[in-house]
Amino acid sequence: MQIVHTLADLRRALNPAALRAFVPTMGNLHQGHLELMQMARQEVDKRTPTGGMTVASIFVNRLQFGPNEDFDTYPRTLENDCALLEANGCDVVFAPSEKDLYPEPQVFKVHPPAELADILEGAFRPGFFVGVSTVVHKLFNIVQPDLAMFGKKDYQQLMVIRRMVQQMALPIEIIGGETRRAEDGLALSSRNGYLSTEERAEAVQLSMALKGLAASVRAGNAADQLDVPAAEAAAMDALRQRGWEPDYITLRRQHDLSPVNGPCVEPLVVLGAAKLGKTRLIDNLEV
Ligand code: PAF
């Protein structure tokens, strides 16, 4: 496995003829990332028996962090991440410095549509999806992958990226990986490392709240009596009573994340974001 930092070195490391699968990350990798890496390896090997190429990037992208967020404290664990990537089928790690990726202020940006990017995460983290779309578009231009893998844990991010690729006619197939969970059901996240022992024990309650909401949705749909605002409010209240500060716990349509007002037969998803102490966690569950 090669580890490169500059765009010039990456271009030298890429085999122009090989089918290329890409896993963009911000590092501090967990099992969810490693499964995306394994999936990238399997996909290229399946599609090109002569051997494709897998690339991962590790870059903590300042553009997607708000002024009061954790950019400075976000864990940087390059050496360990590279060892894990190598063990999981990665050929090339691209780990640029800020000067390599943003040699001058990034004034050209990708602005995803408000109806997709200013809701949910975008409403609570203004500018987040501009930062994500800009860096992902730039990384796509640099790596020029045929396939790219993103986790479903960041459900809205995956949707924004799919839409960007479709609208910009980027010749890249986007593959979503299932959310990997700890034994108690907590979705794996690089930010789980911020939790104290007590908070870690409590953290599973976010996925429990989503499961509870999903169960009320199924029951309400079956009985043709779904009161969505009441079910969402009950899930948020249950978390508040346990000391959480929920930003949203909500039921949406899978295909465009639009709200649902009553019984609905379309594929749905429940999504939630809430703060436990100083740590903000997100999760979702397809219904
Ligand atoms: O999901 C992430 O880790 C980041 O948002 C991404 C896609 C690597 C862009 O910085």
Side-chain angles (χ1 to χ4, degrees), residues 24-26 33 57 59 61 64 74 128 132 135-136 139 150 154 157 161:
T25 82
M26 297 206 301
H33 294 112
S57 63
F59 180 68
N61 174 37
Q64 69 191 72
Y74 199 87
F128 173 67
V132 168
V135 79
V136 170
L139 289 167
F150 293 85
D154 295 297
Q157 168 173 284
I161 288 163

Side-chain angles (χ1 to χ4, degrees), residues 112 116-117 129 133 156-165:
L116 194 54
F129 288 114
S133 306
Q156 190 178 2
Q157 168 173 284
L158 174 59
M159 185 156 280
V160 168
I161 288 163
R162 281 195 197 284
R163 196 95 174 93
M164 174 179 82
V165 163

Side-chain angles (χ1 to χ4, degrees), residues 19-280:
L19 184 85
R20 213 170 283 160
F22 178 42
V23 182
T25 82
M26 297 206 301
N28 194 29
L29 305 181
H30 53 67
Q31 192 55 30
H33 294 112
L34 301 181
E35 286 180 13
L36 293 179
M37 194 68 243
Q38 291 162 10
M39 205 158 73
R41 176 85 268 154
Q42 281 160 13
E43 284 298 324
V44 292
D45 289 352
K46 187 172 79 191
R47 294 174 194 216
T48 56
T50 48
M53 195 165 199
T54 60
V55 181
S57 63
I58 298 179
F59 180 68
V60 184
N61 174 37
R62 186 187 288 277
L63 294 186
Q64 69 191 72
F65 287 77
N68 299 319
E69 294 185 350
D70 54 344
F71 175 77
D72 289 327
T73 51
Y74 199 87
R76 273 99 169 151
T77 52
L78 183 64
E79 213 177 303
N80 190 46
D81 290 340
C82 287
L84 292 170
L85 288 169
E86 183 160 31
N88 285 275
C90 184
D91 294 322
V92 178
V93 177
F94 177 48
S97 68
E98 277 202 285
K99 275 259 168 298
D100 291 317
L101 203 64
Y102 300 134
E104 55 184 64
Q106 183 71 31
V107 286
F108 276 78
K109 292 188 178 151
V110 178
H111 286 263
E115 69 272 17
L116 194 54
D118 291 357
I119 59 169
L120 305 172
E121 282 305 281
F124 288 91
R125 304 183 66 189
F128 173 67
F129 288 114
V130 174
V132 168
S133 306
T134 302
V135 79
V136 170
H137 200 292
K138 190 160 186 173
L139 289 167
F140 281 172
N141 285 336
I142 295 166
V143 175
Q144 301 201 353
D146 301 284
L147 316 171
M149 279 66 189
F150 293 85
K152 279 196 191 175
K153 151 105 183 347
D154 295 297
Y155 205 84
Q156 190 178 2
Q157 168 173 284
L158 174 59
M159 185 156 280
V160 168
I161 288 163
R162 281 195 197 284
R163 196 95 174 93
M164 174 179 82
V165 163
Q166 180 223 333
Q167 281 238 324
M168 298 297 203
L170 303 179
I172 304 169
E173 184 183 333
I174 303 297
I175 300 182
E178 292 306 322
T179 301
R180 164 60 52 185
R181 295 181 182 279
E183 270 190 13
D184 65 352
L186 173 68
L188 296 192
S189 159
S190 301
R191 289 191 168 98
N192 292 351
Y194 296 152
L195 299 167
S196 68
T197 313
E198 296 76 39
E199 287 170 343
R200 172 60 192 84
E202 172 65 21
V204 66
Q205 294 298 329
L206 177 60
S207 70
M208 303 284 278
L210 295 178
K211 269 192 196 151
L213 177 56
S216 334
V217 170
R218 280 191 212 100
N221 267 340
D224 207 22
Q225 273 181 355
L226 178 60
D227 184 346
V228 179
E232 290 175 347
M236 302 244 288
D237 278 349
L239 282 180
R240 265 190 213 103
Q241 276 167 26
R242 304 184 64 93
W244 292 69
E245 282 175 57
D247 283 344
Y248 58 86
I249 303 279
T250 186
L251 174 70
R252 299 290 165 126
R253 289 183 176 78
Q254 278 183 27
H255 81 102
D256 62 357
L257 299 183
S258 63
V260 178
N261 300 318
C264 180
V265 291
E266 282 175 66
L268 300 172
V269 56
V270 291
L271 304 110
K275 261 174 99 179
L276 181 59
K278 289 194 165 68
T279 308
R280 187 173 181 278

